[in-house]
Amino acid sequence: MTSDRARYDAATAHLDAPLAIVDLEAFDANADDVVRRAGGKPVRVASKSVRCRALLERVLARPGFAGIMSYTLAESIWLARSGFEDVLLAYPSADRSGFAELAGDPKLAAAVTVMVDDPAQLELIDRSRDGGVQEVRVCLELDTALHLLGGRIRVGARRSPLREPDQLAALARAVGARPGFRVVGLMGYEGHVAGVGDLLAGRPVRSRVIRLMQAAARKELAARRAEAVRAVRAVVPDLEFVNGGGTGSVQHTAAEEAVTEIAAGSGLYVPRLFDNYTSFRGRPAALFAQPVVRRPGVGVVTVLGGGYPASGAAGPDRLPEPYLPRGLRYDPQEGAGEVQTPLLGAPADDLLIGDRVWFRHAKAGELCERFDALHLVEGDRVTATVPTYRGEGRTFL
């Protein structure tokens, strides 16, 4: 830890904080680990977890990665116009101008696949075409949630309403019967497995319950997903891909014969929410530094800003982690502040005005919404500085 802090301080000594870095050695090692766990199946990189075109290009140039999973239609179109040729939009959209642009451009229509789980979404796309006649590539989404006690208990994100194989097949037939659309893929994101840690510090009983739930969820989903794929392939024999997984479940999802590709992105940066997993261990690659601007007393320093909470249910686990030097913690009365953040702990007494405290964000790509640029560190040097989406003037959500 000390050597990392010394490297990062040395690499960025010529820069003013706040600033954000990506350690390229850690980033590349994490990419290799994702590919290893995918067991030969291609990995589609989730852009919302990266939000930097230069790093998307870097990871897609590595063996084992193919295609992007995007998060908005505007982003998908921007990426396609930037030269990315295989973009899967992972969420339904109501962007009418975007659909008009997509339906009116053969290059975009060939590069972008949109997500559909309701015939009403097809209606919206058709009403948005504005004369565009290009065929729209469609992916159907499977609800992956685990239902217990006859459905009275649901474990998993509330995403697609399509749970049963016959529902997916029916929508596939509806798409096929509608001119201007073609089903090319099926997706299912098991967030309750891929995005929930199962090794919670100081909570062994809850950790055990989570592991039991996830084992049951993987078993139930593998069988249901295989049935869903068979049902959709009966309607669409030339289905191009079946996407599944996420950083925390790569090896488990890749083991399913029905799945043809894996989605992952957060595992490249390894934010703090991935510290509580038994399925893999990555290296923190994305960090941000805040400067010390005050020393209010013994065992206390104040850094500028730092109040960058992550999305999801609000709680302490959504706050950035004071990472380097080790041993700093938030003041429980103030937490992470919009303009200033007091930090407590013995290491505070060794920090001087202008020194840096390095933080890890709770989630991956959301960090890039706070910074215009990422400084790419190799060893103890910054070897490049690249813009984030924000730095390119693109804030899609």
Side-chain angles (χ1 to χ4, degrees), residues 105-173:
D105 188 315
K107 178 184 176 181
L108 292 180
V112 175
T113 301
V114 304
M115 193 62 60
V116 168
D117 58 32
D118 189 315
Q121 294 155 353
L122 302 174
E123 292 279 357
L124 185 147
I125 295 171
D126 264 342
R127 292 196 306 270
S128 304
R129 284 180 179 271
D130 193 28
V133 297
Q134 296 301 316
E135 183 176 68
V136 175
R137 292 167 53 87
V138 168
C139 180
L140 309 181
E141 182 168 1
L142 168 70
D143 171 33
T144 64
L146 175 65
H147 287 187
L148 302 171
L149 300 179
R152 292 191 293 276
I153 297 177
R154 174 193 176 93
V155 182
R158 297 184 182 277
R159 291 176 61 113
S160 172
L162 305 175
R163 177 172 181 79
E164 301 302 329
D166 59 345
Q167 293 176 301
L168 287 150
L171 185 54
R173 284 191 291 271

Side-chain angles (χ1 to χ4, degrees), residues 267-336:
L268 299 171
Y269 287 169
V270 186
R272 66 168 291 202
L273 284 180
F274 284 94
D275 288 348
N276 304 318
Y277 282 71
T278 58
S279 60
F280 82 105
R281 281 287 181 271
R283 293 173 56 181
L287 304 126
F288 67 93
Q290 305 295 111
V292 174
V293 292
R294 283 177 169 164
R295 291 170 49 87
V298 175
V300 186
V301 291
T302 301
V303 298
L304 184 69
Y308 307 155
S311 61
D317 65 337
R318 301 289 147 167
L319 296 179
E321 173 195 28
Y323 180 54
L324 299 172
R326 283 290 194 184
L328 293 172
R329 65 187 186 279
Y330 292 117
D331 182 333
Q333 300 300 314
E334 297 196 47

Side-chain angles (χ1 to χ4, degrees), residues 200-217:
L200 307 182
R203 306 182 72 180
V205 175
R206 181 167 175 78
S207 297
R208 173 64 174 164
V209 169
I210 290 173
R211 286 194 287 274
L212 290 172
M213 175 278 291
Q214 291 179 336

Side-chain angles (χ1 to χ4, degrees), residues 84 165 170 197 256 258 261 358:
F84 296 97
E256 295 183 34
E261 64 175 41
W358 293 90

Side-chain angles (χ1 to χ4, degrees), residues 1-2 4-5 8 322-326 328 356-359:
M1 294 297 181
T2 303
D4 281 343
R5 181 189 172 201
Y8 300 149
Y323 180 54
L324 299 172
R326 283 290 194 184
L328 293 172
R356 278 106 190 252
V357 175
W358 293 90
F359 291 78

